[in-house]
């Protein structure tokens, strides 16, 4: 059945699927004034007590300046908070705010409902 398909074709299909899902998610999140990377950060922070900007960079696969801009935006929206680690003051820790947690939960519920139609 798959004899006529190559790894190249599988790569093309994977790429098209990723773009379609990414576009769908972005459209859903636009109603919450969130980008997909912002939403990923909020999702991660909703699962952990706190994280560092370096960990956010690793999570998203981006360099520090890009994650710093993203964190600045989230902080301006009052969805996250940055503070100094009380044990090691050289370390900045990032936590989600109550508003950020509430927004993430609401957006995730909407996406869970609408993603069935997407698939």
């Amino acid at each position: 059945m798959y004899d006529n398909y190559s790894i190249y074709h599988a790569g093309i299909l994977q790429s098209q699927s990723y773009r379609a899902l990414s576009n769908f998610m972005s459209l859903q999140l636009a109603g919450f004034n969130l980008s997909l990377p912002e939403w990923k950060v909020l999702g991660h922070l909703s699962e952990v007590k706190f994280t560092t900007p370096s960990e956010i960079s690793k999570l998203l696969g981006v360099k520090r300046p890009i994650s710093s801009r993203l964190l600045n935006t989230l902080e301006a929206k009052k969805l996250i908070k940055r503070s100094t680690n009380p044990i090691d003051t050289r370390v900045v820790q990032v936590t989600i705010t109550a508003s950020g947690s509430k927004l993430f939960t609401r957006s995730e519920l909407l996406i869970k409902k609408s993603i069935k139609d997407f698939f």
Side-chain angles (χ1 to χ4, degrees):
M1 176 174 166
Y2 297 105
D3 291 342
N4 294 332
Y5 290 95
S6 66
I7 297 301
Y8 163 77
H9 289 106
I12 294 293
L13 287 173
Q14 183 273 334
S15 175
Q16 291 171 337
S17 299
Y18 171 79
R19 273 195 305 280
L21 182 57
S22 180
N23 289 338
F24 170 80
M25 296 285 290
S26 293
L27 284 172
Q28 300 300 308
L29 293 169
F32 294 96
N33 191 29
L34 285 174
S35 68
L36 190 53
E38 290 170 343
W39 189 73
K40 289 177 184 179
V41 171
L42 293 179
H44 179 66
L45 288 171
S46 72
E47 293 180 343
V48 298
K49 185 174 180 179
F50 66 89
T51 192
T52 64
S54 294
E55 288 298 319
I56 297 295
S57 294
K58 288 178 193 173
L59 173 75
L60 299 176
V62 298
K63 296 190 187 267
R64 264 310 280 285
I66 293 171
S67 66
S68 290
R69 280 194 302 272
L70 178 64
L71 293 175
N72 288 341
T73 301
L74 288 169
E75 194 168 36
K77 293 179 181 182
K78 302 195 183 314
L79 301 175
I80 64 155
K81 179 182 169 195
R82 285 188 270 201
S83 58
T84 304
N85 184 307
I87 297 169
D88 185 349
T89 57
R90 297 170 296 169
V91 176
V92 172
Q93 59 187 35
V94 182
T95 56
I96 193 167
T97 63
S99 297
S101 183
K102 189 175 182 179
L103 183 63
F104 177 76
T105 300
R106 284 187 15 239
S107 62
E108 188 172 41
L109 287 173
L110 174 78
I111 291 170
K112 279 182 181 180
K113 289 178 184 176
S114 60
I115 205 157
K116 290 178 187 176
D117 294 335
F118 172 78
F119 287 116

